[in-house]
Amino acid sequence: RINPEREAETKLVDNQLRMTKMETTGEYFERLNARHIQEARASLGDAVKRLDWSPEKVLEYQTERLRELVTYAAEKSPYYRELLRGIDPSTLDARDITCLPITTKKDVMEHWNEISTDPRLTLEDAQKHLRDIHSGNTNNPYYLDQYIVCATGGTSGTRGVFVMDWELVIELAQMAYRWEEWNDRRHPP
């Protein structure tokens, strides 16, 4: 799911910022956040271009991304390595996504640490980070300077704690922006 070259470049830039910074955590966060917002804005034009893709191009892209995601999950997550055993990602097609096993929020919470694709992430530490944000003990919302942690309220009976890297946040922003553009095309303002 993550572009290795981009990930390495991002880590290098982040480490250079850290090594050269003579600033507080808050200032570091502001700088990192500004860079992330700039990256998100720069990606929106390409996201909107997808509205003009043919159905075949959309399917090709979805299949490619599905294969990347399943490969990444099986390689990096002990939980998914076992769950996806016997599934060859190179044969997957977005049209038959139903062949993949379903994971519920309850499954995620029961196997959180094994599902994580980054061994540094633990449920206990993610929850502590959330508590630190809410209590004011940190002014840096980035967990490990790389992830955003969010949680559901638990009204369904199971509280969910989820971690997103910046690439996922950008993809979510792209989806929202693309939807707005699609809606504006159908119903001009």
Side-chain angles (χ1 to χ4, degrees), residues 2-3 29 48 50 57 91 105 125 142 175 177-178:
I2 296 173
N3 176 334
F29 161 71
V48 170
R50 293 184 202 166
K57 175 80 173 164
T91 65
K105 182 165 56 168
D125 288 347
Y142 288 100
M175 286 181 353
Y177 190 74
R178 197 168 37 248

Side-chain angles (χ1 to χ4, degrees), residues 109 112 121-134 138 140-152 159-166 168-169:
M109 295 313 299
W112 203 96
L121 301 176
T122 66
L123 177 58
E124 182 180 328
D125 288 347
Q127 289 174 323
K128 181 185 180 311
H129 183 73
L130 284 173
R131 285 191 305 271
D132 286 348
I133 288 171
H134 292 291
T138 183
N140 182 359
Y142 288 100
Y143 174 51
L144 299 175
D145 288 334
Q146 182 178 354
Y147 299 101
I148 295 173
V149 181
C150 54
T152 63
R159 180 174 189 248
V161 176
F162 304 96
V163 177
M164 300 180 285
D165 65 6
W166 189 247
L168 178 57
V169 172

